[in-house]
Amino acid sequence: MDCIFCKIANNEIPSSKVYEDEKIVAFNDLNPKAPVHVLIIPKEHIKSADYITQENQSIIGEIFMVASEIAKKQGLKNGYRIVNNCGEEGGQTVKHLHFHLMGGRKMEWPAG
Ligand code: 5GP
Ligand code: ZN
């Protein structure tokens, strides 16, 4: 499948991985928007948050547990942000479900 994040998960293209288990991979964003900017993805190709089903939903809880673990490891003791962009207007550019874990600076709201 021609999916950049599947290729990263399969080690077909290089990335700077910070976490991996049998179902999840996390790696540094190529174009970081914060001092810590990690992308956490299921290895399974799920197109977006719109494609979470009864069958695959447990991966979301696992991703959030991994996010907290990575945040601790990266020293984000004052907090962090987890973002999911879904679909065109949500700002999703890569069509493989991913969560942005961002921290190391004060986040603005909304967005920013
Ligand atoms: P989206 O805009 O879909 O929510 O986020 C996609 C993210 O993937 C962007 O922050 C972008 O910088 C990152 N990205 C796109 N291509 C690559 C890549 O080949 N390697 C890495 N590490 N990050 C990528
Ligand atoms: Zn994929």
Side-chain angles (χ1 to χ4, degrees), residues 1-7 41-46 94-97:
M1 189 190 302
D2 196 25
C3 168
I4 199 157
F5 286 179
C6 280
K7 286 180 180 160
I41 69 168
K43 287 186 173 174
E44 181 190 352
H45 182 83
I46 299 171
V94 178
K95 311 284 189 286
H96 179 130
L97 179 66

mmCIF file of all heavy atoms in Angstrom, residues 1-7 41-46 94-97, ligand 2:
data_model
loop_
_atom_site.group_PDB
_atom_site.id
_atom_site.type_symbol
_atom_site.label_atom_id
_atom_site.label_comp_id
_atom_site.label_asym_id
_atom_site.label_seq_id
_atom_site.Cartn_x
_atom_site.Cartn_y
_atom_site.Cartn_z
ATOM 1 N N MET A 1 0.850 -1.207 0.000
ATOM 2 C CA MET A 1 0.000 0.000 0.000
ATOM 3 C C MET A 1 0.880 1.249 0.000
ATOM 4 O O MET A 1 1.917 1.282 0.640
ATOM 5 C CB MET A 1 -0.892 -0.017 1.246
ATOM 6 C CG MET A 1 -1.957 1.054 1.233
ATOM 7 S SD MET A 1 -2.772 1.165 2.817
ATOM 8 C CE MET A 1 -3.382 -0.504 2.985
ATOM 9 N N ASP A 2 0.447 2.242 -0.752
ATOM 10 C CA ASP A 2 1.245 3.450 -0.872
ATOM 11 C C ASP A 2 0.920 4.415 0.273
ATOM 12 O O ASP A 2 0.290 5.439 0.063
ATOM 13 C CB ASP A 2 0.986 4.096 -2.232
ATOM 14 C CG ASP A 2 2.060 5.117 -2.562
ATOM 15 O OD1 ASP A 2 3.182 4.986 -2.029
ATOM 16 O OD2 ASP A 2 1.779 6.050 -3.326
ATOM 17 N N CYS A 3 1.355 4.040 1.474
ATOM 18 C CA CYS A 3 1.065 4.877 2.638
ATOM 19 C C CYS A 3 2.378 5.109 3.377
ATOM 20 O O CYS A 3 3.049 4.161 3.798
ATOM 21 C CB CYS A 3 0.053 4.181 3.543
ATOM 22 S SG CYS A 3 -0.100 4.957 5.156
ATOM 23 N N ILE A 4 2.718 6.371 3.527
ATOM 24 C CA ILE A 4 4.009 6.729 4.118
ATOM 25 C C ILE A 4 4.157 6.211 5.560
ATOM 26 O O ILE A 4 5.235 5.765 5.961
ATOM 27 C CB ILE A 4 4.218 8.257 4.006
ATOM 28 C CG1 ILE A 4 5.680 8.615 4.151
ATOM 29 C CG2 ILE A 4 3.364 9.036 4.971
ATOM 30 C CD1 ILE A 4 6.027 9.935 3.525
ATOM 31 N N PHE A 5 3.054 6.232 6.331
ATOM 32 C CA PHE A 5 3.158 5.776 7.720
ATOM 33 C C PHE A 5 3.199 4.244 7.807
ATOM 34 O O PHE A 5 3.861 3.708 8.701
ATOM 35 C CB PHE A 5 2.044 6.376 8.583
ATOM 36 C CG PHE A 5 2.250 7.843 8.912
ATOM 37 C CD1 PHE A 5 1.321 8.535 9.677
ATOM 38 C CD2 PHE A 5 3.378 8.543 8.472
ATOM 39 C CE1 PHE A 5 1.505 9.885 9.989
ATOM 40 C CE2 PHE A 5 3.568 9.900 8.772
ATOM 41 C CZ PHE A 5 2.626 10.563 9.536
ATOM 42 N N CYS A 6 2.542 3.540 6.880
ATOM 43 C CA CYS A 6 2.722 2.076 6.819
ATOM 44 C C CYS A 6 4.181 1.767 6.511
ATOM 45 O O CYS A 6 4.765 0.841 7.097
ATOM 46 C CB CYS A 6 1.826 1.463 5.741
ATOM 47 S SG CYS A 6 0.111 1.251 6.263
ATOM 48 N N LYS A 7 4.775 2.547 5.618
ATOM 49 C CA LYS A 7 6.182 2.314 5.258
ATOM 50 C C LYS A 7 7.106 2.581 6.449
ATOM 51 O O LYS A 7 8.080 1.858 6.652
ATOM 52 C CB LYS A 7 6.577 3.178 4.057
ATOM 53 C CG LYS A 7 5.969 2.642 2.771
ATOM 54 C CD LYS A 7 6.353 3.475 1.578
ATOM 55 C CE LYS A 7 5.713 2.884 0.315
ATOM 56 N NZ LYS A 7 5.639 3.862 -0.767
ATOM 57 N N ILE A 41 1.296 6.109 16.057
ATOM 58 C CA ILE A 41 0.401 5.473 15.074
ATOM 59 C C ILE A 41 0.171 3.997 15.405
ATOM 60 O O ILE A 41 1.047 3.327 15.957
ATOM 61 C CB ILE A 41 0.960 5.587 13.625
ATOM 62 C CG1 ILE A 41 2.214 4.718 13.416
ATOM 63 C CG2 ILE A 41 1.253 7.032 13.259
ATOM 64 C CD1 ILE A 41 2.649 4.564 11.963
ATOM 65 N N PRO A 42 -1.016 3.492 15.014
ATOM 66 C CA PRO A 42 -1.186 2.041 15.050
ATOM 67 C C PRO A 42 -0.433 1.457 13.856
ATOM 68 O O PRO A 42 -0.380 2.095 12.797
ATOM 69 C CB PRO A 42 -2.703 1.861 14.871
ATOM 70 C CG PRO A 42 -3.151 3.082 14.128
ATOM 71 C CD PRO A 42 -2.192 4.194 14.493
ATOM 72 N N LYS A 43 0.149 0.280 13.992
ATOM 73 C CA LYS A 43 0.794 -0.355 12.830
ATOM 74 C C LYS A 43 -0.253 -0.720 11.785
ATOM 75 O O LYS A 43 0.016 -0.699 10.590
ATOM 76 C CB LYS A 43 1.584 -1.593 13.265
ATOM 77 C CG LYS A 43 2.863 -1.230 14.004
ATOM 78 C CD LYS A 43 3.714 -2.451 14.306
ATOM 79 C CE LYS A 43 5.045 -2.018 14.896
ATOM 80 N NZ LYS A 43 5.854 -3.172 15.341
ATOM 81 N N GLU A 44 -1.440 -1.049 12.274
ATOM 82 C CA GLU A 44 -2.546 -1.357 11.363
ATOM 83 C C GLU A 44 -2.936 -0.093 10.598
ATOM 84 O O GLU A 44 -3.022 0.994 11.187
ATOM 85 C CB GLU A 44 -3.750 -1.853 12.184
ATOM 86 C CG GLU A 44 -4.954 -2.213 11.340
ATOM 87 C CD GLU A 44 -6.229 -2.472 12.177
ATOM 88 O OE1 GLU A 44 -6.128 -2.521 13.424
ATOM 89 O OE2 GLU A 44 -7.299 -2.620 11.586
ATOM 90 N N HIS A 45 -3.195 -0.226 9.314
ATOM 91 C CA HIS A 45 -3.617 0.938 8.520
ATOM 92 C C HIS A 45 -5.088 1.252 8.788
ATOM 93 O O HIS A 45 -5.984 0.586 8.283
ATOM 94 C CB HIS A 45 -3.395 0.708 7.022
ATOM 95 C CG HIS A 45 -3.765 1.912 6.195
ATOM 96 N ND1 HIS A 45 -2.902 2.968 6.009
ATOM 97 C CD2 HIS A 45 -4.910 2.250 5.568
ATOM 98 C CE1 HIS A 45 -3.505 3.898 5.270
ATOM 99 N NE2 HIS A 45 -4.735 3.485 4.997
ATOM 100 N N ILE A 46 -5.315 2.307 9.599
ATOM 101 C CA ILE A 46 -6.659 2.839 9.845
ATOM 102 C C ILE A 46 -6.617 4.232 9.233
ATOM 103 O O ILE A 46 -5.700 5.010 9.526
ATOM 104 C CB ILE A 46 -6.961 2.902 11.366
ATOM 105 C CG1 ILE A 46 -6.915 1.496 11.990
ATOM 106 C CG2 ILE A 46 -8.309 3.578 11.623
ATOM 107 C CD1 ILE A 46 -6.978 1.479 13.526
ATOM 108 N N VAL A 94 -1.850 13.189 6.206
ATOM 109 C CA VAL A 94 -1.449 11.791 5.998
ATOM 110 C C VAL A 94 -2.634 10.908 6.383
ATOM 111 O O VAL A 94 -3.118 10.967 7.520
ATOM 112 C CB VAL A 94 -0.190 11.426 6.819
ATOM 113 C CG1 VAL A 94 0.157 9.955 6.624
ATOM 114 C CG2 VAL A 94 0.991 12.309 6.426
ATOM 115 N N LYS A 95 -3.088 10.084 5.439
ATOM 116 C CA LYS A 95 -4.332 9.321 5.615
ATOM 117 C C LYS A 95 -4.102 7.972 6.307
ATOM 118 O O LYS A 95 -4.507 6.924 5.799
ATOM 119 C CB LYS A 95 -5.032 9.123 4.259
ATOM 120 C CG LYS A 95 -5.188 10.401 3.427
ATOM 121 C CD LYS A 95 -6.311 11.290 3.943
ATOM 122 C CE LYS A 95 -6.636 12.454 3.002
ATOM 123 N NZ LYS A 95 -5.656 13.556 2.978
ATOM 124 N N HIS A 96 -3.381 8.039 7.400
ATOM 125 C CA HIS A 96 -3.161 6.886 8.287
ATOM 126 C C HIS A 96 -3.280 7.470 9.692
ATOM 127 O O HIS A 96 -2.523 8.391 10.038
ATOM 128 C CB HIS A 96 -1.774 6.278 8.023
ATOM 129 C CG HIS A 96 -1.399 5.097 8.873
ATOM 130 N ND1 HIS A 96 -0.904 3.914 8.343
ATOM 131 C CD2 HIS A 96 -1.406 4.916 10.228
ATOM 132 C CE1 HIS A 96 -0.632 3.064 9.331
ATOM 133 N NE2 HIS A 96 -0.929 3.651 10.491
ATOM 134 N N LEU A 97 -4.233 6.955 10.466
ATOM 135 C CA LEU A 97 -4.515 7.493 11.800
ATOM 136 C C LEU A 97 -3.233 7.760 12.595
ATOM 137 O O LEU A 97 -2.363 6.898 12.688
ATOM 138 C CB LEU A 97 -5.393 6.495 12.565
ATOM 139 C CG LEU A 97 -5.772 6.868 13.999
ATOM 140 C CD1 LEU A 97 -6.682 8.094 14.035
ATOM 141 C CD2 LEU A 97 -6.438 5.692 14.698
HETATM 142 ZN ZN ZN B 2 -0.972 3.282 6.389
#
